Amino acid sequence: MTVTRAERDAAATVAVGWGVILAAVLAVGWLLTHSLEPSIGVWDDDAARWFTAERTGDLGRIADVGRLLGDTWVGIGLALAVAVAVSLWQHSLRPAIFVVVLMAGNFGFYLVATQLITRDRPPVPILDPGLVPDHSFPSGHVATAVAVYGGTALLVGYLRPRTRPWIWALLVMPVLVAVARLYQGAHHPTDVLTSLLAMTAWLTVVARVLLTGTAARAPG
C-alpha cells in the first residue's frame, strides 16, 4: 500500500499534537504536585470534602451510573461499536481510523501521566474501591468519556449535520462522569479539569486532521 504525502503529513501533525498535549498535561501535573501544592492542593482537598458532605443514597446511585459511563472497558466497547457501525454506514475505514487514533491517544496520555506524575487521591472516603492510591492525576474516566461521547458526537455530527441537535446531547455524558468522579472522591477537581481540557484539545486535533483536513479528503 502506497502512503501519500498528505497521509504522512497528517500522521506527523497528529503525532506532534499528541506530544504537545502530553507535555502540557505533564507540566500541569508537575506544578500541582510541587509548587502549586500548598495553594491549589488545599483548595482541591476542600472541594473534595464538600462533595463528601453532600452524599446521599440517591446521588450515590447516580454517581455509580456516571462511573460506569466512563469505565475503561465500557469505553472501549462503545468506541469499537461506533467505529464498526459508522465505517459500515459510510463504506469507509476513515471513521474507524478516527476512533482508533482518538482512543489510542487517550490511553497513551493516561498511561504516561500516571507513571510520571504521582498524586495521592483526595483525603476522603472513596466510593470506588480498588483504585491505585497515587494515580489521581489525571482522571482516566473523564478522559475516556470525552473521547467516546465527544468523539461520537463530532463524528456523526460532521457526517450528518442534520443530526447535530440530537447528537450534541452526548456532550452531557463527560460532564456527568466528571461530577460522579468528584462525588465519589476518586479525583481532585484539577485532575478532572485537566482531563476535560486535554482530551478536548486532542479531540480537536484528531478531528481537524482526519475529518476536516487533507487526510479526510484522501482516498479511503
Side-chain angles (χ1 to χ4, degrees):
M1 182 177 65
T2 302
V3 178
T4 66
R5 179 175 180 179
E7 290 170 336
R8 288 195 300 270
D9 291 345
T13 300
V14 169
V16 170
W18 187 86
V20 170
I21 295 170
L22 174 61
V25 169
L26 294 177
V28 170
W30 189 90
L31 289 171
L32 289 174
T33 54
H34 289 80
S35 58
L36 295 181
E37 175 62 23
S39 54
I40 300 299
V42 172
W43 177 84
D44 265 342
D45 289 344
D46 287 343
R49 294 186 184 98
W50 181 87
F51 277 99
T52 301
E54 299 300 316
R55 288 174 177 173
T56 66
D58 290 338
L59 290 177
R61 285 185 284 273
I62 295 173
D64 285 338
V65 173
R67 176 187 58 79
L68 182 63
L69 290 172
D71 179 79
T72 298
W73 293 108
V74 171
I76 290 174
L78 290 175
L80 180 61
V82 169
V84 172
V86 179
S87 287
L88 290 174
W89 171 35
Q90 292 295 301
H91 305 289
S92 170
L93 286 177
R94 192 142 323 263
I97 294 172
F98 169 79
V99 173
V100 168
V101 171
L102 186 62
M103 294 301 292
N106 167 40
F107 292 124
F109 290 135
Y110 180 76
L111 291 174
V112 174
T114 53
Q115 292 301 313
L116 297 182
I117 303 296
T118 299
R119 191 183 198 194
D120 291 335
R121 295 189 187 274
V124 299
I126 298 175
L127 301 182
D128 185 2
L131 297 176
V132 179
D134 59 359
H135 280 191
S136 185
F137 181 90
S139 171
H141 278 69
V142 173
T144 296
V146 175
V148 174
Y149 304 110
T152 299
L154 200 59
L155 178 61
V156 177
Y158 172 75
L159 295 172
R160 286 293 183 271
R162 63 187 178 189
T163 66
R164 288 175 184 172
W166 306 102
I167 293 299
W168 295 130
L170 288 172
L171 298 181
V172 174
M173 298 300 186
V175 177
L176 174 60
V177 174
V179 174
R181 299 311 280 164
L182 294 172
Y183 179 90
Q184 293 184 321
H187 296 285
H188 305 88
T190 49
D191 302 329
V192 167
L193 182 60
T194 299
S195 288
L196 285 171
L197 295 178
M199 280 308 300
T200 298
W202 175 236
L203 178 57
T204 301
V205 169
V206 178
R208 287 291 299 269
V209 174
L210 297 181
L211 294 184
T212 63
T214 302
R217 295 189 290 273

